[in-house]
Amino acid sequence: MPSREEISYFGAGPAPLPTPVIEQSAEALVNFENTGLGLSEISHRSPTANKVLADAKSALSTLYDIPLEGDDAYEILFMQGGGTGEFSASVQACVGWWVERRRRRAVAELGEGKDAEVVERVRKEIKEELKLDYLVTGSWSLKASQEAARLIGSNYVNVAVDARKSNNGKFGVIPAESEWNLSDSKKSAMSYWCDNETVDGVEFPKFPDCLKGRTEDDGVVVADMSSNFVSRKINVRDYGMIFGGAQKNLGIAGITVIIVRKSLLALTPAPTFLQQLSDVLPSAIPPVVFDFATIAKNNSLYNTLPIFNLYVATLVLQSLVSTFAEKKVGGQEELANRKASLIYEALDQYSDTYHVVPDKSIRSRMNICFRIKPKADSNAEPGKWDEAREKEFLASAEKKNLMGLKGHRSVGGMRASNYNAVSLTSAEKLVAHLVEFAATS
């Protein structure tokens, strides 16, 4: 039976965790700090649970330089439902904030006591102006846009870019910003993208220039960072909301992290007002467990938060703070870039054997997707991949304890997920296998 040190795991999620975190978490699951109870057995409202929560917030705010006080303060929330749950929650939150802004403006201009007129004016503005912008660059942003259409109607959803239209019907590029068809920022409720697409191996190389400098009167900038969370430096103040599931870079499934501008939470509209608009805006009221203002008011403890799952994420965050010190998340970015560069350099060096799926300009550092070409002397049809060789590659990799390399079923081929806990040594072992396979197969 191989040890953890002998296994190099490149699965897309759930992903590997640092061994010290696993070991400390295992102890906490059985007997947390000699209390005689496991961490999953204690009350989520206990002082112990509150300390875990506070420690997680402190470490994350340190890594990302998140302001927790002042005019530009953010809330850090821990919830459930994963990234998929946030597809829905982000829509309902941003639409609610948009509606509340319009309601307040209508009251200011029409005067108090004009309830019917206010409702009618906001209804008219919804029908004529409301849009949610989606940058569809891969499978997950596509799913997010489809969920928005399911909840509030496709007429309110603006797919500002569909990358498939620039790549023969497949994901693998991000068109230039000049080709994006964003709504007027004063009318948009949200501009949404998935920063890293795990299925398609696509990652935004930087924050979009056209979304910089947005104010409180503009649509909320929302990013799904489930698969590249705490892997590179960001300016949190560029975003209205960031979310991510924990099971890639942070911990185990069951925890979702939300970083949201605190001022937005004060815009949560009364459900009774939204109910009067249900004829033009269905499904705009979130379930209470997805209501950010409620969760923030209760310090993420409105319902039973899985404290053990949060503890695992806390240990990961604290280890990053300890490891990289003043570099903060920039230290992890350097390591992630180094590992990804090694792998891509090998793939490019043996381009007669390997084909990297996405365009070079937007290759993901987290999910490296590639196919294997037929041999030069084969009679294979041009443009086809050699699935037999791909199976041979995977089988020979597993014999070397290089696991989890099979690509997503919708894309095929191979996918090496280079998450934070994948060691440099593991990346080097994969590179050695790439070189050997290209030379001998």
Side-chain angles (χ1 to χ4, degrees), residues 349-404:
Q349 181 180 355
Y350 296 95
S351 58
D352 288 344
T353 300
Y354 305 113
H355 168 77
V356 179
V357 175
D359 184 76
K360 192 170 186 176
S361 63
I362 45 85
R363 288 176 175 178
S364 170
R365 300 163 308 122
M366 295 289 103
N367 306 100
I368 299 167
C369 298
F370 60 99
R371 304 299 305 259
I372 294 181
K373 300 176 180 179
K375 293 181 179 180
D377 58 356
S378 74
N379 296 319
E381 184 180 340
K384 295 293 184 180
W385 312 119
D386 194 327
E387 294 186 5
R389 291 185 82 194
E390 291 179 341
K391 290 179 180 178
E392 180 187 346
F393 177 92
L394 292 170
S396 57
E398 289 187 2
K399 289 179 181 178
K400 298 175 183 177
N401 290 327
L402 302 172
M403 314 299 286

Side-chain angles (χ1 to χ4, degrees), residues 135-156:
L135 309 179
V136 176
T137 57
S139 300
W140 293 113
S141 50
L142 176 61
K143 287 179 182 292
S145 70
Q146 292 169 337
E147 175 65 357
R150 188 184 73 86
L151 286 173
I152 63 169
S154 59
N155 52 312
Y156 298 124

Side-chain angles (χ1 to χ4, degrees), residues 97-371:
W97 298 331
W98 188 96
V99 167
E100 180 62 9
R101 282 199 188 98
R102 298 307 179 101
R103 186 197 69 80
R104 292 183 185 185
R105 188 172 68 185
V107 170
E109 294 177 4
L110 296 175
E112 297 288 344
K114 302 288 185 68
D115 295 352
E117 291 92 332
V118 168
V119 170
E120 189 52 42
R121 173 167 156 171
V122 174
R123 177 183 284 112
K124 183 174 183 293
E125 290 177 346
I126 289 170
K127 292 166 66 175
E128 295 179 354
E129 299 182 18
L130 175 63
K131 289 295 179 184
L132 284 79
D133 292 333
Y134 281 83
L135 309 179
V136 176
T137 57
S139 300
W140 293 113
S141 50
L142 176 61
K143 287 179 182 292
S145 70
Q146 292 169 337
E147 175 65 357
R150 188 184 73 86
L151 286 173
I152 63 169
S154 59
N155 52 312
Y156 298 124
V157 176
N158 173 45
V159 176
V161 58
D162 184 341
R164 295 172 296 183
K165 294 180 180 180
S166 301
N167 195 43
N168 298 316
K170 295 182 178 181
F171 293 119
V173 302
I174 297 179
E177 291 184 30
S178 59
E179 299 179 34
W180 299 2
N181 183 33
L182 292 167
S183 306
D184 182 336
S185 65
K186 303 300 180 186
K187 297 179 182 179
S188 170
M190 175 173 70
S191 293
Y192 180 109
W193 78 95
C194 180
D195 207 35
N196 181 76
E197 294 278 3
T198 59
V199 172
D200 307 283
V202 170
E203 184 176 27
F204 277 78
K206 61 184 179 65
F207 186 91
D209 291 331
C210 61
L211 296 179
K212 288 183 177 177
R214 292 217 167 180
T215 70
E216 291 285 336
D217 295 326
D218 295 314
V220 181
V221 175
V222 177
D224 174 0
M225 293 188 181
S226 291
S227 54
N228 65 353
F229 209 71
V230 291
S231 73
R232 65 179 178 185
K233 293 180 288 187
I234 61 171
N235 180 5
V236 170
R237 293 169 177 82
D238 285 334
Y239 304 83
M241 180 167 66
I242 297 166
F243 71 82
Q247 66 273 17
K248 315 288 188 182
N249 278 335
L250 280 186
I252 58 178
I255 290 289
T256 311
V257 184
I258 294 90
I259 305 169
V260 58
R261 188 176 290 124
K262 191 176 290 188
S263 59
L264 291 170
L265 302 181
L267 291 171
T268 302
T272 51
F273 187 77
L274 289 175
Q275 288 164 1
Q276 296 178 77
L277 301 168
S278 60
D279 58 319
V280 294
L281 199 60
S283 303
I285 303 174
V288 70
V289 294
F290 284 149
D291 183 84
F292 296 140
T294 298
I295 302 303
K297 189 182 301 181
N298 289 273
N299 192 30
S300 297
L301 298 173
Y302 180 80
N303 62 318
T304 306
L305 189 69
I307 296 300
F308 176 76
N309 303 52
L310 179 59
Y311 177 71
V312 176
T314 302
L315 292 181
V316 171
L317 291 168
Q318 289 177 328
S319 70
L320 290 172
V321 172
S322 174
T323 299
F324 297 114
E326 70 277 359
K327 285 187 174 182
K328 301 179 181 178
V329 76
Q332 182 61 53
E333 179 177 21
E334 291 175 4
L335 178 56
N337 290 349
R338 184 179 177 191
K339 293 185 295 174
S341 293
L342 286 173
I343 297 170
Y344 279 123
E345 285 169 6
L347 292 169
D348 289 338
Q349 181 180 355
Y350 296 95
S351 58
D352 288 344
T353 300
Y354 305 113
H355 168 77
V356 179
V357 175
D359 184 76
K360 192 170 186 176
S361 63
I362 45 85
R363 288 176 175 178
S364 170
R365 300 163 308 122
M366 295 289 103
N367 306 100
I368 299 167
C369 298
F370 60 99
R371 304 299 305 259

Side-chain angles (χ1 to χ4, degrees), residues 26-38:
E27 292 180 10
L29 185 61
V30 177
N31 186 355
F32 180 66
E33 295 184 351
N34 295 317
T35 60
L37 287 172

